Amino acid sequence: MYTLVIHGGAGTILKEDMTPDLEKAYMDGLNQALQAGFAVLEEGGTAVNAVKASLVVLEDHVLFNAGRGAVFTKKGVQEMDAAIMDGQSLAAGAVAGVRNVRNPIELATEVMRNSNHVFLSGKGANDFAIKQGVKLEPDEYFFSQFRYDQWKSIRDSDTYSLDHTHHHLEELMRDKKFGTVGAVACDQHGHLAAATSTGGMTNKKYGRIGDSPMIGAGTYANDATCAISCTGHGEMFIRAVASYDVSCLMEYSQLSLQEAMDRVVNTKLKQLNGEGGMIGVDGKGNHAMIFNSAGMYRAVKNSDNFSQVLIYQ
Ligand code: ASP
């Protein structure tokens, strides 16, 4: 069985906060990304190319906190993080703090395929983007009034926000919402891949990097176990080494994908107050989508004719 799973962020996503139009826009975005990635699998393409195809759609979509829809940093610019991992070879590529790159996941893939390195950051990553001919866009491309207003409301404070407007820290803690996009796939040959891309957190500063581009924290893939992409309060996912822990629980304790993800999300992350969730697949194409927050934008499609697009619990 081949399978594609995607997410568009987890957090306090409640039906009563949603308008029908906005809900439809999110569902449409998820659907489009799901079809794009699944088409690659259907044609016999690789898991790596499938997760990349899904992420490009989500990065180009203004509603999701990645690529075009990335949030503003303290300095009023977008700094994006992304990672991709190939479960067959354990090859990986990641970038952090890149600017003006239309599709950070393309750049991460270039790092994986065409550099001798795994993880590039800041100006060096941007120089590499130019050298590889990765598509760049002017600042205006990344500007959206919604993100700007969100940032303006907290830019003079020390608060950082997980992809929604928060005026006070208490409000932030009560009403955590996350952006970030991710995809995991099991292709027709049973090979796995994972990819994650994010603008990080609104008003982040000091070159803050989250879990998304860190192999083993927000992103991990290994044909022997699983492919995982996370979303949530990145600091806790880094400390929990969340995605690699799922793989370890499967490898060393023989837990199933579902059991391992449940342990990490609902026990280990919860102990750290780590809010969020993750999506995963194993080498048989089984999938799971688990979160400890009110909602997670998520979707799955497999070759057994199973397909779902969901937002709430
Ligand atoms: N995990 C991301 C980060 O901490 C945020 C998110 O998932 O929305 O950068």
Side-chain angles (χ1 to χ4, degrees):
M1 178 166 67
Y2 54 96
T3 304
L4 181 83
V5 195
I6 61 172
H7 73 74
T12 312
I13 306 160
L14 299 169
K15 187 143 182 98
E16 53 263 37
D17 295 341
M18 195 71 86
T19 64
D21 283 353
L22 192 59
E23 189 174 292
K24 184 174 178 307
Y26 274 111
M27 302 284 274
D28 287 351
L30 288 169
N31 250 317
Q32 239 184 304
L34 192 66
Q35 302 312 333
F38 196 75
V40 174
L41 296 181
E42 257 179 333
E43 288 156 14
T46 64
V48 167
N49 285 337
V51 293
K52 189 154 77 74
S54 286
L55 254 63
V56 165
V57 172
L58 293 166
E59 285 179 337
D60 287 348
H61 200 297
V62 75
L63 271 185
F64 298 98
N65 173 21
R68 185 170 179 205
V71 298
F72 283 83
T73 65
K74 181 94 182 159
K75 291 194 173 137
V77 297
Q78 284 79 23
E79 289 177 358
M80 300 168 288
D81 305 335
I84 189 160
M85 186 160 184
D86 179 344
Q88 184 185 8
S89 58
L90 301 184
V95 293
V98 297
R99 301 202 44 206
N100 299 97
V101 174
R102 183 184 173 114
N103 294 110
I105 201 63
E106 299 270 16
L107 183 56
T109 307
E110 284 298 316
V111 173
M112 176 170 78
R113 289 180 175 156
N114 297 314
S115 79
N116 295 321
H117 307 293
V118 168
F119 204 165
L120 301 183
S121 75
K123 183 162 181 325
N126 267 90
D127 289 349
F128 183 68
I130 293 166
K131 178 168 166 276
Q132 297 304 113
V134 170
K135 196 157 191 213
L136 301 177
E137 295 287 354
D139 288 348
E140 300 80 70
Y141 171 81
F142 299 90
F143 182 88
S144 72
Q145 196 62 44
F146 159 67
R147 294 294 185 209
Y148 182 72
D149 293 343
Q150 176 187 46
W151 166 72
K152 236 174 45 182
S153 70
I154 61 168
R155 70 176 162 186
D156 296 326
S157 72
D158 273 340
T159 303
Y160 58 83
S161 154
L162 296 149
D163 191 24
H164 262 265
T165 306
H166 301 285
H167 299 268
H168 306 291
L169 197 58
E170 304 88 276
E171 193 186 337
L172 168 68
M173 298 323 284
R174 202 178 52 235
D175 184 28
K176 284 197 215 102
K177 299 186 188 183
F178 310 88
T180 297
V181 302
V184 295
C186 172
D187 65 26
Q188 296 197 21
H189 309 286
H191 297 311
L192 307 183
T196 312
S197 179
T198 187
M201 303 202 283
T202 303
N203 220 32
K204 67 183 181 181
K205 55 182 179 178
Y206 307 128
R208 182 262 183 193
I209 298 169
D211 61 313
S212 310
M214 287 185 199
I215 299 305
T219 307
Y220 188 72
N222 184 339
D223 277 9
T225 51
C226 60
I228 301 288
S229 171
C230 301
T231 173
H233 197 155
E235 278 68 10
M236 314 315 165
F237 282 71
I238 294 170
R239 290 164 56 200
V241 202
S243 58
Y244 184 60
D245 200 19
V246 173
S247 175
C248 287
L249 286 165
M250 293 176 70
E251 183 172 358
Y252 304 124
S253 297
Q254 281 77 49
L255 264 57
S256 69
L257 175 74
Q258 178 86 25
E259 289 165 346
M261 284 172 62
D262 183 61
R263 175 88 57 89
V264 173
V265 173
N266 288 319
T267 306
K268 294 194 166 195
L269 280 164
K270 262 197 186 156
Q271 281 163 357
L272 294 174
N273 275 325
E275 192 187 345
M278 55 173 69
I279 55 173
V281 284
D282 67 16
K284 296 207 164 71
N286 298 310
H287 76 277
M289 310 186 282
I290 298 189
F291 49 101
N292 61 31
S293 49
M296 179 165 82
Y297 298 105
R298 61 201 188 279
V300 54
K301 190 170 166 73
N302 69 28
S303 54
D304 273 3
N305 272 325
F306 180 78
S307 174
Q308 254 184 347
V309 183
L310 299 166
I311 299 180
Y312 317 103
Q313 278 282 4

